Every structure is written in C-alpha cells, then in structure tokens.
Amino acid sequence: MKLPAHQRFWSPAVRGLTPYVPGEQPTIEGLIKLNTNEHPMGPSPAVLAAIRAETGDALRLYPDPDARELKHALAELHRLQPDQIFVGNGSDEVLAHIFLGLLDHGRPVLFPDITYSFYPVYCGLYGIDHARPPLDEQFAVRVDDYRRGNGGIVLANPNAPTGRLLALAEIERLLTLNPDSVVVIDEAYVDFGGESAVGLIGQYPQLLVVRTFSKSRSLAGLRVGYAMGDPGLIEALERVKNSFNSYPLDRLAIAAAVASVRDPDWFERSCALVIREREAMRERLQARGFEVLPSCANFLLARHPQHEGAALQAGLRERRILVRHFKAPRLDPFLRISVGTEAQGLALDDALAQILA
Ligand SMILES: *Cc1c(COP(=O)(O)O)cnc(C)c1O
C-alpha cells in the first residue's frame, strides 16, 4: 500500500496510534474557558514567589533527578515515606509509566467504558490489551464487574468525565477481590469532595494512588503529578523514568510544587470556593431543566432533555463560552462543564437562557 508522502518516514508503531485529543487552549481574548477543568483562581502567591526565587543562575544546573525535596514534602503531607512516592511531568506522564511498567502482563487491563480517555491511548501506545466493563445506568462503577482475570485495573475516582465517586469501602472490596493485580486509583479530582484511598496503601501492596497538581492546586501549566504506593511499585516506575528522562521535573516545577504543598491555607480556601460554586452552578442548571449528575469533582456532567449536547456546545461557543462535548456513545447527549468563578457561572447561565429560549 502506498503511504501519503508526509508519512513515509513513520514507523509502523506511529501509524497505528490513536492519540489523545486535549480540550482546546485558544488564545482568543475574553473567552470563558470551562472546557479543561482548570482551576478558576490563580495559584497560591507563595508558589509564584518560589518560582521567582528559583529564577536565576541556578537554572544553569540540572535539577535534582530524584526531586527529593518534593518527595519529602509529599511524604509528610500524606503520612508516607519518600520511597512510597514517584513524581513526574504531570500525572499523564506518571500514568504512562504505570501502564508500561506495571500493567503490561499479557492479560487485559480493565477500566470502565466511560472514563478518562487517555487510558486506552496508553494501551495503544504500549500494545496492552484492555477491556471496558460498562458503568451502570447511573454511570456508577460496579465492582463485581472487576472479578475476572486481568492485568491490572485503572479507576479514576471521582471518575471523569462523570464526576461520580466510588465509596472507599467499594475500593477496598475491589482490592480484596484483586490481590494479584495492580489497582490504580487516579485521584485527579479527589480534593473536590472525594475520599482518598491513600490510607489503604499500607494494607494493600498492589494499590497505586495517582494525584496531580493541575486541578486542585491550580498548576496545570506547571506539569507536576505523582503516584503513591508500595516501594516495590515505585521502584518499577523509577526504572521506567530513568530509562526515559532523568529530569522530568525542572527546577521551577520542583520549587513551585514544594511551595504549593507548604501552603495548605490557600489550598483549602480555593477548593472550598470551587465546591461552593459547583453547587451554585448545579442549581442554576437544574432550574433551566438540565439533568445533572452528582459530582465530587470540579466539573458537572449535564444534559438537557430537549437539546442535543453538540448543539448546546456550539451555541455556547458562539457566545464565547467553551465547554467539553464528547462524541462517545453514552456521552453524546451531555456537556461537561468545568466550574469557574461566580461571574463565569452567571455568564454561562445567561448564555444558556438565550440558547434554550
Ligand atoms: C486532568 C487529568 C489527568 C491529567 O493530569 P495532568 O497532571 O495535568 O497530566 C489525569 N487523570 C485524570 C482523570 C484527569 O482528569
């Protein structure tokens, strides 16, 4: 078969890839951006000061390849040991290393039919077989669907893009049913009202909990994520990392992330603000006739019985408001709307009133 000219140097692996498509990051002024679950507030002032303090001659030098200061700060925060923590360039990179290092065992990795759409992309990149038990009618995970041979399990909790939380007791049941599989709990949104599985790490050596600074710490632009688990799991990730990039976190990222962990006041206030605004947004959407899923995240998944998801998204875009719509089987009627400021929430409500009229 003749390949298009621009593809002639591509390896067979690249030709077979289906990459993840991130939400758009437009540069248009004045747009209200509720499409990628970023935090509506700027980061902690202490974080910005730490970045400024790190900006100088020291940038001549490579950063600490082990980001020890950050691992110590995170270990203290989560009451773990530094050798139970792995840090990477955003949790996407951490997840990629997990798929390669801990989930490739010749049996299918399990994750729900509706979840973070990067998981199947990593399976494609590394040639890992996977199966996707469907969420139930209310978009909840059924733990009993995960009682089958598998090469590992990956659950986002709260799930994305549904916002639904699986109770900690159910996660523990999942771990009990799967003593010989790595179970990854991706807690990207847990700070907005979830129950963390971190406390189970000592009891379950197959458990890996993944976190990010992108959402609740308002540092999506910095690219810092981490995983927590048994030192044996962490060592596998270090081996992958040190075979790929010794310095995934630069000096600015390490300094900023440490400062973020050391500013719990900003963190707690800003999460509380997002949770409050999420509930206000839910009430306004319901008043306009939307069905809104219960959410423990910084976004809502909502649909209108009389309007299609794609049409609503287009109508909002015309009014300079970006939200996310997924062209996937069961998600098609829905919009995923990130929680913004109060002013942005009111502007969304105005725009929806016009579109629905
Ligand atoms: C946003 C998100 C991530 C990626 O976070 P980064 O640290 O910015 O790479 C991972 N998992 C889920 C479920 C997310 O929503």
Side-chain angles (χ1 to χ4, degrees), residues 90-92 95 116 119 156 160 186 188-189 212 214-215 223-224:
S91 58
D92 285 339
L95 287 163
Y116 187 39
Y119 306 150
D186 180 349
Y189 301 103
T212 176
S214 297
K215 314 287 170 41
R223 312 306 302 131
V224 181

Side-chain angles (χ1 to χ4, degrees), residues 1 4 7 13 18 74 95-96 114 153 158 184 196 199 240 273 275 324:
M1 197 181 78
Q7 293 184 10
T18 311
L74 289 169
L95 287 163
I114 296 173
I153 294 169
V184 180
S196 178
V240 176
L273 181 136
I275 292 168
R324 194 95 196 252

Side-chain angles (χ1 to χ4, degrees), residues 35-271:
N35 67 331
T36 50
N37 300 343
E38 287 138 334
H39 202 297
M41 289 167 72
S44 148
V47 166
L48 302 180
I51 293 173
R52 278 192 292 271
E54 192 66 25
T55 306
D57 273 357
L59 284 180
R60 198 169 60 75
L61 304 170
Y62 281 108
D64 174 6
D66 295 318
R68 278 165 300 186
E69 202 190 347
L70 178 56
K71 285 184 185 173
H72 276 92
L74 289 169
E76 203 178 294
L77 177 70
H78 294 293
R79 300 171 209 275
L80 295 169
Q81 296 303 315
D83 67 354
Q84 293 174 295
I85 296 179
F86 176 78
V87 297
N89 190 256
S91 58
D92 285 339
E93 183 185 81
V94 174
L95 287 163
H97 291 349
I98 291 170
F99 275 81
L100 179 65
L102 294 167
L103 300 177
D104 187 5
H105 298 290
R107 278 161 293 149
V109 173
L110 305 180
F111 44 83
D113 63 336
I114 296 173
T115 190
Y116 187 39
S117 41
F118 229 133
Y119 306 150
V121 173
Y122 295 129
C123 289
L125 176 61
Y126 295 123
I128 301 170
D129 191 16
H130 64 279
R132 312 190 65 165
L135 298 176
D136 75 10
E137 307 284 86
Q138 278 77 47
F139 286 169
V141 172
R142 286 179 296 221
V143 164
D144 288 317
D145 291 348
Y146 295 79
R147 304 174 94 122
R148 52 186 273 196
N150 63 73
I153 294 169
V154 185
L155 293 183
N157 197 40
N159 197 7
T162 66
R164 292 216 54 169
L165 186 73
L166 184 65
L168 195 56
E170 285 295 281
I171 300 231
E172 191 155 13
R173 199 160 71 80
L174 179 74
L175 288 160
T176 311
L177 290 170
N178 288 278
D180 300 316
S181 300
V182 171
V183 174
V184 180
I185 306 296
D186 180 349
E187 296 188 344
Y189 301 103
V190 78
D191 298 320
F192 301 111
E195 268 180 299
S196 178
V198 169
L200 301 176
I201 284 173
Q203 281 163 267
Y204 297 96
Q206 80 275 36
L207 169 63
L208 206 50
V209 177
V210 178
R211 293 279 187 95
T212 176
F213 281 65
S214 297
K215 314 287 170 41
S216 56
R217 296 184 178 275
S218 190
L219 290 170
L222 196 71
R223 312 306 302 131
V224 181
Y226 57 106
M228 296 171 279
D230 184 82
L233 300 181
I234 300 302
E235 190 182 336
L237 300 179
E238 298 289 356
R239 287 171 70 97
V240 176
K241 172 240 173 200
N242 287 317
S243 307
F244 179 75
N245 176 4
S246 310
Y247 307 104
L249 292 196
D250 60 60
R251 284 178 171 272
L252 305 185
I254 294 170
V258 168
S260 170
V261 173
R262 296 201 176 131
D263 188 359
D265 289 348
W266 179 93
F267 176 70
E268 277 152 31
R269 262 188 301 117
S270 75
C271 288

